[in-house]
Amino acid sequence: MNDNGKQKKYHTITYGCQMNENDTERLAGQLRALGYEEADRPADADVILINTCCVRESAEKKIHGKIGELKRLKAGNPNLIIGVAGCMAQKDRDKLFKRAPHIDFVLGTHNIHQLGGIIAEIGQARGRVLAVWDQAERLAPGVPTIRKNKIAAWLPIMYGCNNFCTYCIVPYVRGRERSRPLEEVVGEAAELAAQGFREITLLGQNVNSYGKDEAGHADFADLLAAVDGVEGIARIRYMTSHPRDMNAKVIDTIRRSRHVCEHFHLPIQAGSDAVLQAMNRGYTAAAYRELVAEIRAAVPGASLTTDIIVGFPGETDEMFADTLALVEEVRFDAAYTFLYSQRSGTPAATMAGQIPLAVKKERLKRLMDLQNDISLDINRGLVGTETEVLVEGESKNDANKMMGRTRANKIVIWDRTGNEQTGDLVTVTIETAQTWVLKGKLA
Ligand code: 5AD
Ligand code: SF4
């Protein structure tokens, strides 16, 4: 109960990647354990938690705007507790209090498990709490997790990143790589299966280096094979792969697996060797092309997606043309494309040859136009085929329609028949294709 004798409630707002989504689930789990229930609106909450991202400046701007908005709620309800967690909290620490004095606590990426204690502390003393450790003291403590999605679950297999791509802030805010023991991950996968989850996404900043932080540790292929052996899970995905560390053993394990989806997300970042080298990516465009060929030979019909940054410092028109040429040649199913964003503290932020915003935007548009044509073309090729879809639920925009995903991770929408239940694997005949969505009817 809160001070007004009502049920205590929390509201979470999450920015950024799947790892953040999963952290939010673990934050929510702790609030549940304290007797809080979820509020749909921030205005109905006693605790509001913003889980933040700082990978690009655009995310940070949005988050500062959101934090500013909450000031009004705090003015109307002095008992409201507002907390900022995640990557921006880790990076900016007590600077966040100075910028927004209505924040009650700042929780770093290594301090997720401390939320329960902090809420209790603030409840008693009403002081500000800064909990930001510089590094993790121990691995994934047994924190309760509340998952909103009842079909697909995120399962972290490792934390942190050792790669130090020169544009990226992640290694600075998430620390060095720490892999969870294989038995712990497999045990959690079995628990998820028992709870009725059908799909598991193994999470890590660079899943291909799973286990490399400890001598004698199982590697990523071993882990995939072990999770594949868990009964009851229909689909296994993983995020994110690093092209440099993707190897024949992993590809072969995926080929022989029962449940690992034939979808490879391999961020290329740029198609020019000079840019790739300046990014410290550790592979060439030719090596990437070879990897794609190897995957396509081993896993026919595999879908391939990527991340690309345009306007990295020093990127000339010719270098950018290399990216376009690679995109045209490889034909990704989809690409997540980003304007390079200067992140202070990273090597690229102070490199010579920063690209003007107008140039970056023009390049991004050309890249997106090209990729959208390719995505649409690939999707059109699926019209008339029957595809396995995992039913996720009602379509967001239309209650008469249902939504799910193919093994290639493409979104499919069809008219509800009443015979499909959330969590079912159904077959859908594809009738029309758009860039990001397929439409069809239940076969
Ligand atoms: N600017 C733009 N994009 C970035 N990414 C990471 N750091 C930056 C940055 N400074 C992109 C990369 C990565 C994805 C998650 O975000 O493409 O793969
Ligand atoms: Fe950032 Fe590179 Fe690590 Fe990915 S692999 S989180 S881009 S440093």
Side-chain angles (χ1 to χ4, degrees), residues 55-56 167-169 267 269 307-309 336 338-343:
V55 81
R56 280 172 293 274
Y167 51 82
C168 187
I169 191 88
Q269 310 297 2
D307 293 349
I308 299 171
I309 298 175
Y336 302 89
F338 308 103
L339 296 174
Y340 167 70
S341 172
Q342 243 170 318
R343 306 285 65 208

Side-chain angles (χ1 to χ4, degrees), residues 161 163-165 167-171 205-206 242 269 281:
C161 182
N163 286 310
F164 290 95
C165 301
Y167 51 82
C168 187
I169 191 88
V170 168
Q205 251 70 42
N206 173 10
H242 194 303
Q269 310 297 2
R281 289 292 287 174

Side-chain angles (χ1 to χ4, degrees), residues 114-225:
Q114 292 181 313
L115 177 67
I118 287 171
I119 296 289
E121 197 179 324
I122 294 176
Q124 279 167 9
R126 294 275 355 148
R128 271 193 194 141
V129 178
L130 175 71
V132 182
W133 286 343
D134 285 325
Q135 52 194 0
E137 287 191 359
R138 58 195 170 114
L139 287 174
V143 172
T145 306
I146 296 287
R147 292 182 162 90
K148 272 193 201 168
N149 185 324
K150 299 293 175 220
I151 298 304
W154 288 300
L155 177 48
I157 64 169
M158 60 192 298
Y159 303 96
C161 182
N162 290 354
N163 286 310
F164 290 95
C165 301
T166 54
Y167 51 82
C168 187
I169 191 88
V170 168
Y172 304 89
V173 292
R174 292 231 169 229
R176 295 297 68 72
E177 285 174 8
R178 282 107 53 212
S179 299
R180 298 179 65 191
L182 180 135
E183 304 72 41
E184 194 178 299
V185 176
V186 174
E188 214 169 307
E191 252 170 57
L192 290 166
Q195 289 165 19
F197 285 92
R198 305 305 316 280
E199 178 177 303
I200 287 178
T201 303
L202 306 175
L203 287 185
Q205 251 70 42
N206 173 10
V207 291
N208 300 90
S209 60
Y210 172 78
K212 286 188 188 161
D213 49 311
E214 234 177 82
H217 201 292
D219 66 16
F220 183 56
D222 300 334
L223 180 70
L224 273 180

Side-chain angles (χ1 to χ4, degrees), residues 272-301:
S272 144
D273 285 343
V275 175
L276 287 170
Q277 194 176 7
M279 287 176 162
N280 188 31
R281 289 292 287 174
Y283 54 84
T284 60
Y288 188 91
R289 286 178 165 94
E290 268 169 40
L291 177 62
V292 169
E294 195 183 333
I295 288 169
R296 287 185 166 151
V299 189

